[in-house]
């Protein structure tokens, strides 16, 4: 048998971590149901689907920030496109696709398509910029999408689909159903999301991102990140590969947005604001730029951490502890001396030899 290379092994480890976490949670839920004990509180269970969405968001943003090397501050904009397009698709397909899991899958695919379209619209002009200029434009894009959705009215009746930019122009028949109501967002949404769907989406995201990164295109993308001039000199098409990474990242964010939107009975555009983009960026930075595994672990732990602290009856201090944890992680990950010290101390405690 051929020896598995390090890249493939890392990919399999990422899959294993996700599968093991999913299996563990399912076992805990089964034990909780059989023994009628509280292992995972209702509040923690309600965070499982959003945690899956944020893991997908972190991994997809890492493709842009860590692998491509471009700072994007509007990732929540792609998520909002996916969320509201997925909600609209799920309501329009209620009669055509009565099976909830299939309708959820189609809605997530629609969210991914709209996210990709947004990625193309933004990517073509924006990716010609670099550094702070690109970050500012992507930030503006996220705000523009949020403001457009806040004034958008979408409904359906016997005459078809209706779109309007104001309530006065929104004319529905008596048998009509309003899907998006401007500042009120999407209301009356049938919840379709499930933890299993989130788990499957994470696996799909890992397959897409890891195969892209390890492919010829992925090596070209990383070459652009390391030295754009040198990459251009050997014939690498800068626009093509930058757009490939950006659109892929946006499509995955759109799918995550659709799953997120279909996890609640109502969703407002203000949820996908600048703070959400920064939150996802924090997951990426703390997990390590370019580290897929780090993004998975950081997003899962840091999103659930405040609720876990609430469970220990220290609710008033949970955000303070959360901030301290973020600061400590940043200090450790950016201090070579501390990393060397931990590398020496931790293996001795665990009885593991450090192989470097």
């Amino acid at each position: 048998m051929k020896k598995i290379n390090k890249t493939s092994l890392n990919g399999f480890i990422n899959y294993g971590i996700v599968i093991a976490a999913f299996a563990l949670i399912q076992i805990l839920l089964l034990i909780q149901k059989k023994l009628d004990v509280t292992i995972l509180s209702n509040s923690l269970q309600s965070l499982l689907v959003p945690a899956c969405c944020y893991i997908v968001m972190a991994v997809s943003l890492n493709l842009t920030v860590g692998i491509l090397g471009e700072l994007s501050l509007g990732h929540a904009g792609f998520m909002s496109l996916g969320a509201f397009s997925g909600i609209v698709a799920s309501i329009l397909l209620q009669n055509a696709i009565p099976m909830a899991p299939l309708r959820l899958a189609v809605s997530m695919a629609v969210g991914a398509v709209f996210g990709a379209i947004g990625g193309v619209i933004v990517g073509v002009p924006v990716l010609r910029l670099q550094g702070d200029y690109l970050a500012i434009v992507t930030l503006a894009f996220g705000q523009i999408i949020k403001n457009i959705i806040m004034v958008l009215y979408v409904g359906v009746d016997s005459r078809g689909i209706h779109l309007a930019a104001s309530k006065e122009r929104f004319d529905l028949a008596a048998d009509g159903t309003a899907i998006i109501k401007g500042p009120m967002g999407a209301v009356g949404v049938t919840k379709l999301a499930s933890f299993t769907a989130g788990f499957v989406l994470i696996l799909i995201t890992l397959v897409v991102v890891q195969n892209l990164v390890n492919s010829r295109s992925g090596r070209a993308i990383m070459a652009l990140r390391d030295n754009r001039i040198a990459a251009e000199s050997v014939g690498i098409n800068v626009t093509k590969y930058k757009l490939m990474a950006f659109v892929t990242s946006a499509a995955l964010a759109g799918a995550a947005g659709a799953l997120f939107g279909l996890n609640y009975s109502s969703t407002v555009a203000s949820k996908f604001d600048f703070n959400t983009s920064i939150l996802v960026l924090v997951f990426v930075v703390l997990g390590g730029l370019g580290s897929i595994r780090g993004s998975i672990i950081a997003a899962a732990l840091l999103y659930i951490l405040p609720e876990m602290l609430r469970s220990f009856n220290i609710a008033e201090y949970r955000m303070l502890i959360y901030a301290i944890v973020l600061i400590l992680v940043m200090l450790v990950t950016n201090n070579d001396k501390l990393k060397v010290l931990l590398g020496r101390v931790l293996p001795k405690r665990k009885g593991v030899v450090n192989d470097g």
Side-chain angles (χ1 to χ4, degrees), residues 237-303:
N237 189 324
V238 176
T239 304
K240 172 186 174 182
Y241 289 108
K242 276 193 171 185
L243 194 61
M244 181 186 298
F246 198 74
V247 171
T248 302
S249 174
L252 293 172
L259 180 66
F260 186 89
L262 292 171
N263 187 54
Y264 302 99
S265 58
S266 62
T267 303
V268 294
S270 58
K271 174 62 182 174
F272 309 100
D273 58 4
F274 173 67
N275 293 328
T276 302
S277 294
I278 293 299
L279 177 65
V280 178
L281 183 61
V282 167
F283 296 155
V284 173
V285 173
L286 293 184
L289 295 178
S291 173
I292 304 302
R293 189 181 311 153
S295 295
I296 296 172
I297 296 173
L301 291 182
L302 295 179
Y303 182 73

Side-chain angles (χ1 to χ4, degrees), residues 36 52 76 90 93 129 213 255 261 282 291 293 303 309 320 325 334:
D36 194 21
C52 291
S90 69
L93 295 173
L129 304 174
V213 171
V282 167
S291 173
R293 189 181 311 153
Y303 182 73
L309 294 176
L320 174 62
V325 170
N334 290 279

Side-chain angles (χ1 to χ4, degrees), residues 45-55 79 260 263-264 303:
Q45 291 183 46
S46 68
L47 296 179
L48 293 178
V49 173
C52 291
C53 297
Y54 279 108
I55 289 173
M79 189 181 188
F260 186 89
N263 187 54
Y264 302 99
Y303 182 73

Side-chain angles (χ1 to χ4, degrees), residues 94-231:
Q94 280 182 342
N95 296 326
I97 307 178
M99 294 178 58
L102 181 57
R103 192 162 76 250
L104 173 62
V106 173
S107 300
M108 289 167 62
V110 171
V113 170
F114 274 82
I117 293 173
V120 172
I121 294 173
V122 177
V124 170
V126 167
L127 291 178
R128 300 179 184 275
L129 304 174
Q130 292 181 356
D132 297 339
Y133 299 102
L134 187 145
I136 292 171
V137 175
T138 54
L139 169 62
F141 164 75
Q143 295 299 109
I144 290 171
I145 291 297
K146 185 192 74 171
N147 291 332
I148 289 176
I149 295 176
M150 289 186 69
V151 299
L152 184 65
Y153 289 81
V154 180
V156 60
D157 58 19
S158 56
R159 296 175 294 175
I161 302 175
H162 296 265
L163 299 173
S166 64
K167 188 175 181 180
E168 292 74 17
R169 298 180 180 179
F170 190 51
D171 184 22
L172 278 180
D175 61 342
T177 301
I179 303 174
I180 300 177
K181 297 182 178 180
M184 294 178 62
V187 295
V189 180
T190 302
K191 297 181 182 180
L192 300 177
S194 65
F195 180 47
T196 301
F199 163 70
V200 172
L201 181 59
I202 293 175
L203 289 183
I204 293 174
T205 301
L206 289 178
V207 170
V208 172
V209 173
Q210 291 184 161
N211 279 280
L212 175 60
V213 171
N214 298 326
S215 66
R216 182 178 179 181
S217 298
R219 291 190 290 272
I221 291 169
M222 288 184 284
L224 291 173
R225 174 196 64 189
D226 296 335
N227 194 317
R228 174 173 177 168
I229 297 176

